[in-house]
Amino acid sequence: MTENSPLPAPSQSGVPPYAARLNPPQREAVLTTEGPVLMLAGAGTGKTAALTARLAHLVATRRAYPSQILCVTFTNKAAREMRERVGALLGQGAEGMPWLGTFHSICAKMLRRHAELVGLQHNYTIIDTDDQIRLLKQLIADNDLDEKRWPARQLAGLIDRWKNRGLNPDDLDAAESEAYANGRGQALYRAYQDRLKALNACDFGDLMLHVLNIFRAHHDVLAEYQQRFRYILVDEYQDTNAVQYLWLRLLAQERKNICVVGDDDQSIYSWRGAEVANILRFEKDFPGAHVVKLEQNYRSTPHILGAASGLIRANSQRHDKTLWTEANGGDKVRVIGVWDAPEEARRVGEEIERLEGEGASLDEVAILVRAQYQTREFEDRFIQIGVNYRIIGGFRFYERAEIRDALAYLRVIAQPQDDLAFERIYNQPKRGLGAKTLEKMHQHARRVGLPLAAASLQLADSDELPKRAANTIGGLLRQFLAWREAAEQMTPADLLRLVLEESGYNAMLSADRSAESAGRAENLTELARAMEEYETLGDFLEHVSLVMDNDRGDEEETVTIMTIHAAKGLEFDHVFCVGWEEGVFPSQRAIDEGGLASLEEERRLAYVAITRARRRCMILHAANRRIYGQWTSSIPSRFIEELPEDHIEQETTLTGGASLWRANWSENEDPFAHVARDRPDRAQARGPGWQRAIASGYETKQQRIRESGRSAASFAGQARSDIAIGAMVHHDKFGTGCVIDQEGNKLTINFEEAGEKRVIDSFVTVVG
């Protein structure tokens, strides 16, 4: 596109064709070119169409050359899509737009031009995460710190957060510095930055921080870019962090022709540094800003939009807007209460099979979870009933690194000849056994014709290894002997817990203070919980083999399982939102530690989940969950109570004694016969292994029913007459406390040790 490029022919109304196809608010956002513009774009309201049309309009009307427009996105995919759409709107390629890209790609280009101003050369290197960790480990060692106590990944996470907030080493106060190694965080951050400059390198966070520092210290450089960019466009503004906000504000101060597009109701990335306050204060930063609300939704049914809009109104920190649609009809959002997590997975599986029977594509079905560990129940269930699935934004449960590590320990216990498993964990967690030691172990195993573990034990008793390595290998193999004996006396789940503790794996996760560590620990807890359904270690490992062998062709339809965070920006015809209970969603961490801000972000996450659905949305909550090996009563998420009654349809499988459990099969019916009768294609494909898995699940369910010991009234939602406000009660998990509020069968209790909790009355006993 050049200055002499032909303009698209205007329509008879005088409105260019790229704007004529938009609705009135979208068109207003496109044609309001001068001054600051805040485009509040709700979910599914066509914000990308409006943003690309605005960019095309600025070029087509020659308000600016393409090189004079700064257009910032968060992903390379979004930038590519923007280029393609603008080219299509203008009838030619979108070449000559050098400043359309992600925050970091644009800053990398700026930094190449001005690198010497921050002590770098123009050919600097951008190091990756592995290089960053290796460099930090060197600095930690140089400062005589124990890396196990103060992990490099923890320091890397702190430095990344500091850079996201626009903080240089000299900007840290004492409290910030105290976050690492008893106040040595600032010194290590400074040493890290000095080492990077000596290497003529920077990390990912430096790309923006260095440019911000240049703008602050060199006003001539800032003025050059302020004059260059006649217009600034920013996508997903609600996801900007502090350094991005400061960078944009400096660039926009001269002309103030900045248009930001975003939705404060979809700001869900505070854990990555995003600050919803940036979009909420835009009108203060740019007085006189023109605000355009995009509220017409092109995705979902009226009931889905009504439920989502009613829920998000409970947030106090937001711009007021309400989604609506011209579409008619549609099902109400279904809210379903079930017994426990396995029943939740069974119910979802039934619904998916029903949809499939009605002709729905599995590609248009999604299950949205709050945390990764929740996927395991659904994976196991779908293996049983033969439904193809995929995990987005992560690995399948049994493919995750920590799960594979744990399974490798168990495989070596069950089968000492399993060389592959032993090789995976001989130095995991780190035991100081490097590649040279492993090679000697392999050489000796080949020489004597023994499995790797047995040969390694021989090698440890020889003088071929350094004494430290020999002692370490000998100690590990003696542990395996002890675990093998323990396996004869304890359940598989207890064996796993013992191995994780004695191997040092739990300690490794505890020392790793990165954001991922907590999720890895949750996954291992869920693995132990899954193992409680199996009598022997061999049975469980056979089950895992069946699950891992569930390969599929790429051409097959699949159900998508993903976290709500990973689902942002996607849409499906049928969405199942699972685990909507207090402590799961909102998460217990948000309830206990985050205060109002965290709860409001959790509510925004719930809003995002519901608005992924085009045609149907089902929300499920369980009365019980197995947490840390104990059955724990659960109450529905507060978000369910906030859904407008006009847009939801509630049901529960927990009303009445005969229906406490909606069994898959009648008591006298062969469980495999039921599935074989309904889906003979899947029964034939799965074979005997599948029959055993289903029969095992049936027996487990019947055992749970026998062991539950709960009365029908426990789940009928009726309040107990013997409990009143002020009563002293006892709960098996939380201890003794005083009832301070009561709503139906839900109690708010101030426990002496656990603090204030909400529980169902059937799980407490009156003590005074």
Side-chain angles (χ1 to χ4, degrees):
M1 284 173 282
T2 67
E3 184 179 5
N4 296 318
S5 298
L7 299 179
S11 64
Q12 292 182 351
S13 64
V15 177
Y18 48 76
R21 67 192 62 160
L22 303 176
N23 65 37
Q26 290 175 322
R27 193 178 307 132
E28 179 185 354
V30 169
L31 302 180
T32 307
T33 58
E34 305 309 304
V37 176
L38 171 60
M39 195 190 310
L40 291 171
T45 57
K47 60 102 175 173
T48 303
L51 185 62
T52 53
R54 181 182 174 90
L55 179 55
H57 181 65
L58 294 173
V59 174
T61 57
R62 298 198 180 108
R63 283 176 168 80
Y65 293 121
S67 61
Q68 294 175 321
I69 301 173
L70 172 64
C71 185
V72 190
T73 67
F74 269 84
T75 65
N76 290 313
K77 178 182 177 182
R80 287 194 300 270
E81 182 181 359
M82 192 84 68
R83 288 181 185 275
E84 293 168 0
R85 288 199 182 197
V86 170
L89 289 176
L90 296 179
Q92 54 189 296
E95 297 84 6
M97 301 191 70
W99 303 105
L100 191 165
T102 65
F103 280 97
H104 290 90
S105 66
I106 290 171
C107 282
K109 185 178 299 185
M110 291 178 173
L111 188 57
R112 293 286 179 197
R113 297 181 60 194
H114 309 287
E116 73 283 355
L117 298 179
V118 288
L120 296 173
Q121 301 173 38
H122 70 89
N123 62 340
Y124 63 84
T125 300
I126 303 173
I127 65 171
D128 59 20
T129 302
D130 288 343
D131 288 336
Q132 181 187 28
I133 297 299
R134 187 160 55 249
L135 179 54
L136 289 173
K137 284 184 176 180
Q138 294 173 7
L139 292 173
I140 291 169
D142 291 345
N143 283 268
D144 297 322
L145 292 172
D146 182 359
E147 205 268 334
K148 290 183 178 179
R149 183 180 180 188
W150 302 105
R153 288 192 180 276
Q154 181 192 357
L155 181 56
L158 283 171
I159 291 175
D160 185 57
R161 286 195 289 275
W162 290 329
K163 291 182 177 182
N164 284 341
R165 291 163 58 194
L167 300 176
N168 296 287
D170 291 341
D171 299 323
L172 300 186
D173 57 24
E176 292 284 357
S177 186
E178 282 292 334
Y180 185 83
N182 299 322
R184 301 174 72 174
Q186 183 181 47
L188 286 166
Y189 181 15
R190 184 179 290 109
Y192 172 67
Q193 293 299 96
D194 290 342
R195 187 71 64 87
L196 284 176
K197 288 181 181 179
L199 296 170
N200 190 34
C202 64
D203 63 25
F204 204 60
D206 281 326
L207 294 176
M208 292 214 68
L209 183 61
H210 280 327
V211 174
L212 180 63
N213 288 335
I214 291 170
F215 285 175
R216 284 168 163 170
H218 302 275
H219 298 291
D220 57 328
V221 176
L222 174 61
E224 174 192 339
Y225 287 104
Q226 287 175 336
Q227 289 300 313
R228 173 189 295 272
F229 299 132
R230 292 179 176 271
Y231 296 92
I232 299 174
L233 287 75
V234 188
D235 193 15
E236 303 287 6
Y237 191 66
Q238 78 280 347
D239 292 335
T240 54
N241 59 31
V243 71
Q244 291 162 345
Y245 164 80
L246 294 169
W247 179 78
L248 284 168
R249 196 174 66 173
L250 285 173
L251 286 171
Q253 282 306 308
E254 179 68 22
R255 297 182 183 273
K256 295 184 171 58
N257 287 335
I258 179 172
C259 174
V260 302
V261 185
D263 181 8
D264 46 306
D265 290 337
Q266 296 187 75
S267 180
I268 58 174
Y269 296 118
S270 66
W271 49 278
R272 290 198 317 213
E275 296 187 10
V276 68
N278 293 346
I279 192 169
L280 294 175
R281 69 183 175 210
F282 183 82
E283 294 167 85
K284 293 183 179 179
D285 290 335
F286 297 95
H290 188 81
V291 180
V292 181
K293 296 181 181 180
L294 305 188
E295 298 172 298
Q296 182 176 357
N297 180 278
Y298 296 95
R299 175 189 300 163
S300 306
T301 66
H303 284 306
I304 290 172
L305 297 180
S309 295
L311 169 67
I312 201 63
R313 282 195 199 99
N315 271 8
S316 59
Q317 300 298 310
R318 63 183 295 266
H319 290 283
D320 183 37
K321 54 188 174 298
T322 302
L323 298 182
W324 62 276
T325 179
E326 292 181 344
N328 297 316
D331 296 339
K332 290 186 176 183
V333 174
R334 296 171 64 190
V335 179
I336 298 176
V338 296
W339 173 274
D340 64 0
E343 173 70 0
E344 179 181 60
R346 184 197 64 77
R347 182 64 187 270
V348 170
E350 283 182 350
E351 292 290 336
I352 290 174
E353 289 190 301
R354 182 183 63 79
L355 290 171
E356 194 178 15
E358 295 174 355
S361 167
L362 293 183
D363 290 336
E364 289 299 336
V365 177
I367 299 170
L368 305 185
V369 300
R370 177 62 183 87
Q372 284 281 2
Y373 73 87
Q374 292 174 259
T375 68
R376 205 273 310 167
E377 297 281 3
F378 297 98
E379 294 185 62
D380 282 359
R381 181 63 187 169
F382 291 166
I383 292 298
Q384 290 182 9
I385 63 177
V387 170
N388 291 319
Y389 68 92
R390 60 176 178 164
I391 303 291
I392 299 294
F395 296 101
R396 295 187 179 206
F397 183 81
Y398 293 106
E399 293 174 349
R400 292 165 188 157
E402 63 276 7
I403 300 300
R404 284 187 176 273
D405 289 344
L407 292 175
Y409 274 103
L410 297 175
R411 283 166 52 188
V412 175
I413 291 171
Q415 178 55 270
Q417 290 81 21
D418 194 333
D419 287 2
L420 293 176
F422 183 72
E423 184 174 338
R424 180 180 180 91
I425 49 81
Y426 82 100
N427 195 40
Q428 181 68 348
K430 301 298 183 184
R431 300 184 173 92
L433 303 174
K436 291 183 179 179
T437 300
L438 178 62
E439 179 58 29
K440 289 183 179 180
M441 290 159 58
H442 275 298
Q443 290 174 353
H444 186 73
R446 289 192 294 268
R447 186 164 57 246
V448 299
L450 290 175
L452 190 61
S456 299
L457 186 58
Q458 277 191 1
L459 190 63
D461 291 334
S462 70
D463 57 359
E464 294 186 38
L465 289 177
K467 184 176 181 180
R468 183 171 178 272
N471 290 339
T472 299
I473 292 174
L476 175 62
L477 291 170
R478 283 190 293 273
Q479 277 188 309
F480 271 107
L481 291 174
W483 293 332
R484 208 161 284 129
E485 293 177 1
E488 302 295 327
Q489 308 295 327
M490 59 176 52
T491 66
D494 287 339
L495 175 65
L496 173 63
R497 296 183 183 106
L498 178 70
V499 169
L500 292 174
E501 187 63 34
E502 293 187 348
S503 67
Y505 206 96
N506 284 342
M508 177 187 72
L509 292 182
S510 297
D512 181 0
R513 303 183 189 182
S514 65
E516 295 79 13
S517 178
R520 296 176 67 193
E522 286 179 345
N523 290 337
L524 290 171
T525 298
E526 176 62 17
L527 177 65
R529 200 213 66 73
M531 294 178 68
E532 291 173 356
E533 301 179 9
Y534 296 86
E535 292 186 5
T536 70
L537 180 58
D539 290 342
F540 175 71
L541 292 175
E542 179 181 345
H543 164 74
V544 173
S545 298
L546 290 172
V547 172
M548 297 289 280
D549 192 44
N550 185 44
D551 293 331
R552 60 172 183 83
D554 290 338
E555 71 283 357
E556 294 185 63
E557 295 180 359
T558 57
V559 173
T560 298
I561 308 175
M562 63 201 312
T563 65
I564 305 172
H565 282 100
K568 186 173 178 292
L570 303 178
E571 55 188 69
F572 303 88
D573 282 348
H574 315 282
V575 171
F576 296 87
C577 304
V578 299
W580 281 44
E581 302 119 36
E582 291 289 296
V584 178
F585 192 36
S587 71
Q588 196 63 46
R589 183 175 300 174
I591 295 171
D592 293 341
E593 301 174 9
L596 179 62
S598 288
L599 283 174
E600 292 210 344
E601 178 154 334
E602 291 283 295
R603 188 175 287 108
R604 292 195 292 269
L605 200 57
Y607 171 86
V608 167
I610 295 174
T611 54
R612 299 311 93 197
R614 286 192 288 251
R615 296 178 56 195
R616 294 187 181 92
C617 179
M618 179 186 290
I619 297 171
L620 295 98
H621 59 93
N624 304 275
R625 283 209 184 260
R626 202 80 176 264
I627 300 176
Y628 302 116
Q630 299 293 322
W631 283 105
T632 301
S633 63
S634 303
I635 64 173
S637 168
R638 67 192 69 193
F639 301 148
I640 292 177
E641 298 179 6
E642 295 167 356
L643 296 171
E645 293 184 1
D646 292 345
H647 298 292
I648 65 173
E649 176 183 299
Q650 296 204 55
E651 63 178 276
T652 178
T653 62
L654 305 174
T655 55
S659 59
L660 277 177
W661 192 285
R662 293 179 71 252
N664 284 340
W665 315 279
S666 66
E667 289 187 10
N668 298 321
E669 184 180 8
D670 178 356
F672 179 72
H674 169 86
V675 182
R677 181 188 67 235
D678 291 347
R679 295 304 301 263
D681 55 331
R682 289 179 179 164
Q684 185 175 3
R686 292 296 166 181
W690 186 38
Q691 296 183 35
R692 289 195 299 274
I694 291 178
S696 173
Y698 174 77
E699 289 301 323
T700 299
K701 175 176 286 187
Q702 297 304 311
Q703 180 67 18
R704 282 193 186 138
I705 295 172
R706 291 191 293 270
E707 292 178 350
S708 67
R710 300 289 183 197
S711 66
S714 298
F715 302 96
Q718 301 171 359
R720 285 170 51 179
S721 60
D722 60 334
I723 296 180
I725 294 176
M728 295 298 296
V729 295
H730 179 79
H731 187 282
D732 288 344
K733 178 181 179 182
F734 301 130
T736 301
C738 178
V739 178
I740 59 175
D741 193 16
Q742 184 176 23
E743 181 182 350
N745 67 335
K746 300 170 187 174
L747 305 175
T748 301
I749 303 173
N750 186 12
F751 290 100
E752 295 174 355
E753 298 293 336
E756 189 174 307
K757 302 289 183 183
R758 296 183 74 196
V759 300
I760 294 176
D761 59 13
S762 59
F763 287 87
V764 300
T765 55
V766 179
V767 296

